[in-house]
Every structure is written in structure tokens, then in C-alpha cells.
Amino acid sequence: MATERYNAREVEARWQKTWNDKDVFVTHNDDPRDKYYVLEMFPYPSGRIHMGHVRNYAMGDVVARFKRAKGFNVLHPMGWDAFGMPAENAAMQNKVHPKDWTYENIATMREQLKIMGLSLDWSREFATCDVAYYKQQQALFLKFLEAGLVYRKNAKVNWDPVDMTVLANEQVIDGRGWRSGALVEQRELTQWFFKISDYSEDLLEAIETLDRWPDKVRLMQKNWIGRSEGLRVRFEFIEAAPTGDTTLEIFTTRPDTLYGASFMGLSPDHPISVKLAETNPELKDFIDECRRVGTSEEAIEKAEKKGIDTGLKVKHPLDASIELPVYVANFILMDYGTGAIFACPAHDQRDLDFARKYDLSVKPVVLPKDADPATFEIGDEAYTDDGTIFNSDFMSGMTIADAKNAVADKLEAIKVEDGPQAERQVNYRLRDWGISRQRYWGCPIPVIHCDDCGVVPEKDENLPVQLPDDINFDKPGNPLDRHPTWRDTTCPNCGKPAKRETDTMDTFVDSSWYFARFTAPDCDQPTDPKAATDWLPVDQYIGGIEHAILHLLYSRFFTRAMQKVGALDLKEPFKGLFTQGMVTHETYRRGGDGSNGEWVSPAEIKIEEKNGQRTASMLDSGETVSIGSIEKMSKSKKNTVDPTDIIDTYGADTARWFMLSDSPPERDVIWTEDGVQGAWRFVQRVWRLIGEIAEKTEPRNSSVPAMSQKAEDLRRAAHKTLAAVSNDLEGLGFNRAVARLYELVNTLSKAFNEGLEDQGKEYAVRETVDYLVQMMAPMMPHLAEECWSALGHDSLISEAAWPEADPSLLTEDTVTYPIQINGKRRGELSISKEASKEEVEAATLALDYVQKALDGKSPKKLIVVPQRIVNVVV
RNA sequence: GCGGGCGUGGUGGAACUGGUAGACACAAGGGACUUAAAAUCCCUCGGCCCUAGGCUGUACGGGUUCGAGUCCCGUCGCCCGCACCA
């Protein structure tokens, strides 16, 4: 058998069958052991799995298998994020039903995942488009509605007039719909919203508790929530606005600069602006122009600050003799603060640009350190740094922080008409989550519109509101809208004929609670609160950084909302989060360098190396191909490698091993053919070595025999590796674990080839090889099972307990100190581990090169760091 | 613009809280075996100096320290996030 080549295809299929037959990875909720929930972000069933999935699921599987071996009751489920636009696009392009398309893709991808040998509990699988799942999602929606967490309001949306649908900001490219290419309009639509803003403060504060999340993601969420403290100030109009308002309310974070006020700014969408436009054509045109420019383009940033004087004026709240003009300005957002500002051009760049254009006053009120108040002037750049307040009456001389407090205290005490002039306020950037989508392939929003009763929630017992199957995509827009009968229903309240809501939910809703559903996937409620609370939080969640904000923030909100309605009892769904890097590959295009020819795939070309120069050509025609930059694998650049092809050629273990080696998991990995072959050679090498060992040695009997030095050295290496690899896997340092296993194979191979004569050697070899196989098992489970069996074990390695390193073998009896002279390494000193500091010093000073360096003098300083290093300062 | 991160051989990357820089792998070169190829095995592999050995070296310039890839300041370069948030 030692000469047999390892046949991955045959071996992998065999072990997968065994695992499946024995239900090795099926998890039970009533298992008394400590729980561990490991989850990878579930895939969208786009058609086939890609290398990014392989990397993601390989990592999760290592964690799952490792924790299982460590004795945990591991939950490791898989499902499908199955609603969404690609299914509708496929329906339009290929005349397939979105449902058929989706379930066919799921079937394909499930088989692909299965040949990877993932230790998943497939009995818990579901797709978010399963009626059973979205029924429960509708039930949750109704509970949220009842709890006041859902509401309807008019909102501005990106509207594609050709496809007749709302587009997300990311789907608007250069002001045009990404599919239709039509100019996107801003439309007011009545939309459903989740009140995520109720939790702004909680979501922000709790970020501090997420200590097993990447700092980067935590920071991104903090910035996204965007807390700022400021003051809401009311300015009295000299003459009431046409809306009847007698005061203009603004929000500012810089009330300390109030004496630098030059003008007021209104958003084009501010009610006063809109009212004024009714009688002012010039203003109307301006507002229309502002709306045409999208909301999400960076071009906005470059856009010139523009505005129109409304003719309205307000009184300065601290000095009634000052009158300030009111402008409608294009740079003011309606949905932040109150949609109106006071402008202090001296200390805000946007305000300054505007003031310079319209020749408005610029009065500095913050003096930089060391500047002269008599001569300090503002040029083209606003002064936004720290300083001392001046030109500001009672605030003059104060720090910015003190002035903010002083002015807030003062204005809060002043009464204007029915209330205080100002109030301290905390503002957040986070907006409520608009979930209405004018699409078919999503979870129907379970409400009914009744002429008499208004918006009425569907009754629980009438759920699910099921998607109709008989739809067509001949016309653009939402097929639910024009379905002849589906909309028609009766009002749950009064029983009269009524219409169903035709909007479906944003697919991010589907993925905001699937992790909870996995804990009791067949429950006839959205969750089994006990199971959800017992299993959650997810101990290790793994996925791409692209979900740093939306999915992860929505899920955090959902968990709080589910807690509020009693579906579970915790706030944070994901205790540990890991964001893995992308899989990248070289790109290739037809023609020589710089020719910009069409992209070609790695499978279509061959690469040759001459004199260190790599050149590529087409496999079929020999045509020159230029080698381009390394990019994320994508269909458009054709630099993808199909996981199935790799697994067919080399086996799943090789693909998994390569994915985990070399690059740290959080960083991008470059997929190379050489790299895969290296992994494959390692698989063969391990198999050969273990075959020989199995042939020439006997399994260990229970007691450790007396050890020769060589045997003991091998044992020490094995135990040290075991300790290190355990630590690496605990911290998701897969690349380090891989390196250490390479090292151990090198050590073992050498020791074994030197012969087995030394006392205890056979035992040491067997022990090392057992550990080696166990350490490999989470990463290359099939090879590990095959080796385990070849070594005479009759148990499954997938069910074996993780070995513990013997602490006495982790430390040496002697320490080798590097000896430095003036910080430069000059030699080594081997001495007993127990040696005292004095003994180490004496031994160091006795070394001939130390003597020589000292030249008869005594050292200036002698530093001994126990167990570490010695430094002699001459 | 604001916020954050990174910069180590030909390449991917090791180096725990400051303590022997370059583990491990890939590529390359040389050799063994072979009729040949593949596979496998052995050797070399940051730069400089003639070797023993030494000098130098972690983007660049300074600093702290007995000792800096690691800490601090500045410069350059690359990457990511947010984007008129008052």
C-alpha cells in the first residue's frame, strides 16, 4: 500500500458517504455538552459556487471540526439567501420561472458544497424563498408592526422609469439605472420602514461589547450610525414664512460660532422651500434641478455650492438687531437634522464657498492659537481647528467646548413664543430602514389596503401570504401589481373587498434572522425562543467584509427587535466575527501589452517561462496573450477558476488546504496553479509517509516507554506543534497552522528515515503521526480519515477528541541564550533552564568572544532576560 | 475632504506582550536517479566583502531603548470605508 497513489476522488466520496450514513454532523438541541455555533454567511444561489465560497466554507469547516474535536456540541448549518433580483432578471432574459431557476441553482450548489466534505448539518437546511420560512418572516413582521417597530411614510426613492421599480443607491450608476440605463428620478413613494433609529444609541454603545469583531468593522458601524451632539435652535422670522411658520428651526453642532452667522440655509426639500416654489418659478426650477442630481454620486461632492435668496429674513437669537437672509441651498440635506442650517462661513468650508459666491459676510469667531485678533482674516479656507472664541460677546475668550455649553445654557433659558429658543439634541446619521421593494421575488408584506379601514395587518391564521406562481415578466414592473386575482382579497377587519400590498420585502430582511431560524428550523413559530436563546449568539461568524455595515447592522437591529417581541432573549447575534479576504487571480487579455483585447480565462491559455520572463499564449491558436494585474475573481474579467474542476483534478482536500495555506485568512489570497500543485504534492507526500509508517511500525500500546534523546526530540516536536496548532486554530491562524504542519512532516520524515533503532523511537513516530493526522483533520478531513484508518484506528477521526499536549514536553531542560554584545548577536550560550541569573552572567562572561570584547575591563551593563536573551554592554 | 489600515527576499508570507529578522511554502538555479520525461530525493537561494567570519539590511528620515520589523514624530507610496451629516 505504501506505493499506492492517493486517489482523492475515490477516497473523498467514500468518507462523505460514511459521514452521511452515520449522521456524524447532525446536531441535537438537547445535547448536554457546551454549545458552539459556527456559521458562514449563507450563499445566494446564483448558479454555481465560486472560489470565494470555497474559502469561506473551508474556514468555517475547520472551526466546526476543531470545536467538535474539542468536545463542543457544534451547530454548523447551511441555507440559501434565495430571494432577489437575479432570479427575476433570469426570468426576463430566459423565460424561466424565478422559483424554478432558484431551486435548480440550489440543487446544483448543494451538490457542489457536498463534494467539499463540509461538516454541515444538512437536516437544518432551508432557503429563504421556502414558503415555510417566509411565512414566519411575515409573522415576525406583524409582531414588529404591533410593537411599533414598523411604520409607513412617504420617502424619496430612486425610481427607474423604464423598469418601473425602486433602485437601491448602489444600483444607480452615474444617475442611470444599472439595468435599463434610464435616467433615474427621485420619486416620493409610500414605503414601509423598520424603526432601526429607535436603537441608534443602543447599537452604537453595544459596539464596545463586540470585542471579537474586527476593529475595522466596529469603526465602520460607528461612523455609519454617526452620533453627533448639538443644539436645535429656533430663529424667529421677521415676517412669517408662507407656510405660516414664525420660527425656523435648525440643528447645529457648532453653536459656539453663532456670532459668526451670516445666512440661513434651507434644503430644497424643506417644506418652506417647497411652498415658496409654488409662487416662484425660478426657485421651482432650481429645486427640480437639485432633485435631478442623484443622492449617491461623488459628483455631488464636486458640485458647486448654489442657492437662491428667498427674501425671508430671521433675527439672530443672541442679538435681535442682526437680521440674517434665508437661502435655499443645494448642499443641505432634508433628512439630516431639521433640513435647515445657520451658516458660519468663517468656520465651515461649504458655508464659505457659498458666502464667497453670493458675497455674504464672513466673520471669524474662533481665533487660532498665536493669531492676532486685529489682523486674523479668512481667505479661501475656513478655519475649522481648535482655538479661542472671540468677536462673540459673552463667549469671547472661552474654549470651543466651554462656549458650546455657555450658549446652550443661555438659549435654553430664553423663551420664544411657546418654547425655549434652543434645546440640546443628539443627532444620528442612521436612518430608518426602508424595506419596500416593487418586486415579485421577495417576501410579500402581509398587509391589506381597505378603503374603509385603511392599512390592516393580515391575520396570523391567514399566513402565509403566498406568492402566486402564475405570473409573467412580459412587461416591466412588478408582476404582483398586474396579477388579475392575487391582489383581491377581503379586509380582515370589516370583511369588505380589499387589496393586498404588492410590495415585497428587501432581501436583507431575509438574512437578518436566518441564523436564529437555524436553531429550530421546523418550529411553527418564527423561533423557538428557548432554542434561539440557548444557541445564540453565533460564536464564530465568517463572511466577507462587504457586509460590514448593512447585513451586520440589520441583524443586530433584528435581534433587538426579536427580543422586544419575545422571539429570543439577547441583543447581539454574533459574538465573534471574522471577515475573510477575497480570492484573486491574474487577468489575461488577447494581444500584446496594452492592447486591451478581450478578456480570456486561465483555462484557455498556457504560460511559459523563459529567462525569468513569463509569457502567455492561447492554447488553441498560439495567439499572444498579455498578462495583466491580479484582481478579484469575476466573470467579467474571466479570471475565475471553477471549484468543481479543481476538486475533480486534485480533490477537495487539496483545494481546502491551498485556500488555508500561505495567505492570512483576512487578506486576499492569490489563486495560482503552482500553489494548488504544491498543496497536492503535500497530500501525496503525507499519504506516502503515513503508508510507510503504518507498514513498518506497530500502533502504540498504552504506556510511554523509556526514550532515547532522538525519540524524545521527536516527541517534543510533536507536542510543541500540537500546542501551537491548537492555539493557531483557536485564533483562526490557518496559514500558521499549515506552516507548522509542513514543518512537523519534515521533522517526522527525517526522523523516520533515520531508522527506528533508538529506544522509544517507534513509539515516538507513532505518536507523532497520530497527532499529525489529527491536526490535519479539520483542514483535510478525507485524507485524515484515510490515514487514520490506515494507521489501524477503527474509529472516525471526525469523532475523535482533540489530543492535549503534555506540558512537560513543551519546555526544554536547557535554554539556548543568544548572546548580544552591544545589541548585536555574537553567539549562543546553552545552559540549564534552572540556572540563576548570576550563573547565566558568569557563564556569559566566561565566553571567549565576550572576554575578547571586554578586553580585560568589566562590562558597563549586563542584561539577562530570563529564558530569552543576554546583552553585554561594553 | 474626513476616518482607518498597510509597507519585511524574485513571490505569498513567519517573527506571542520590544529580545537570534526571513519560519513554512512557491518560483528559480545546481545535482542524484532515469534511455528520456514525470514523480521523488539532495544542495543553494536578501545584499556586500576573499574564506573562517564579518559588514549591512524590515518604504525613507529622525527619536526613545542595553536592544526596534514591532513604540513615538515626520516624509513618501499603496489600499479600504464614508462622502455636502451642518
Side-chain angles (χ1 to χ4, degrees), chain A residues 52-242:
Chain A
H53 293 129
V54 173
R55 193 175 193 205
N56 192 181
Y57 303 138
M59 288 178 193
D61 200 45
V62 174
V63 175
R65 287 176 181 272
F66 176 62
K67 289 292 176 181
R68 215 174 271 119
K70 285 286 228 177
F72 288 92
N73 182 32
V74 171
L75 178 57
H76 187 213
M78 180 57 72
W80 310 94
D81 188 13
F83 273 135
M85 294 206 344
E88 289 189 40
N89 293 338
M92 285 180 247
Q93 281 154 23
N94 308 325
K95 305 275 174 215
V96 276
H97 196 283
K99 190 192 215 171
D100 298 337
W101 184 85
T102 302
Y103 281 102
E104 276 165 29
N105 287 347
I106 287 173
T108 306
M109 292 172 73
R110 184 190 298 116
E111 288 317 301
Q112 289 186 293
L113 289 184
K114 285 191 172 174
I115 61 165
M116 278 185 67
L118 303 171
S119 63
L120 292 163
D121 180 355
W122 285 103
S123 74
R124 294 176 187 250
E125 177 195 4
F126 60 77
T128 56
C129 63
D130 292 347
V131 178
Y133 183 80
Y134 74 72
K135 172 187 172 179
Q136 300 304 338
Q137 185 160 307
Q138 291 171 340
L140 266 183
F141 178 94
L142 294 179
K143 286 184 186 193
F144 288 1
L145 186 63
E146 203 183 343
L149 291 165
V150 187
Y151 68 101
R152 262 179 120 220
K153 74 166 182 195
N154 276 320
K156 256 181 23 173
V157 293
N158 302 308
W159 180 259
D160 184 322
V162 171
D163 279 357
M164 301 214 301
T165 184
V166 168
L167 296 178
N169 284 349
E170 304 81 55
Q171 293 159 351
V172 181
I173 298 154
D174 292 332
R176 292 173 182 275
W178 69 290
R179 245 184 61 82
S180 68
L183 272 178
V184 167
E185 297 167 6
Q186 300 289 305
R187 270 210 188 176
E188 289 256 331
L189 281 183
T190 306
Q191 302 263 291
W192 287 94
F193 285 85
F194 281 147
K195 267 188 133 170
I196 190 169
S197 64
D198 272 8
Y199 294 91
S200 298
E201 187 62 39
D202 190 31
L203 288 166
L204 183 68
E205 268 179 15
I207 290 172
E208 296 306 324
T209 69
L210 300 174
D211 56 344
R212 284 186 51 230
W213 281 40
D215 289 343
K216 184 187 167 87
V217 175
R218 298 202 297 172
L219 188 70
M220 281 165 73
Q221 292 218 349
K222 268 186 205 169
N223 292 340
W224 188 263
I225 295 169
R227 183 184 201 273
S228 59
E229 286 179 19
L231 203 61
R232 202 180 257 264
V233 187
R234 295 197 297 156
F235 286 64
E236 282 180 272
F237 280 112
I238 306 281
E239 276 176 48

Side-chain angles (χ1 to χ4, degrees), chain A residues 575-620:
Chain A
K575 191 168 173 53
L577 172 70
F578 189 84
T579 53
Q580 103 264 11
M582 297 181 298
V583 182
T584 63
H585 196 283
E586 264 180 348
T587 50
Y588 312 100
R589 343 182 66 155
R590 275 181 206 275
D593 286 342
S595 63
N596 287 343
E598 82 174 291
W599 301 104
V600 289
S601 74
E604 297 172 283
I605 62 150
K606 83 171 168 238
I607 292 187
E608 283 165 309
E609 184 150 352
K610 282 177 213 144
N611 312 323
Q613 280 289 317
R614 295 171 70 241
T615 56
S617 57
M618 294 299 293
L619 265 179
D620 51 3

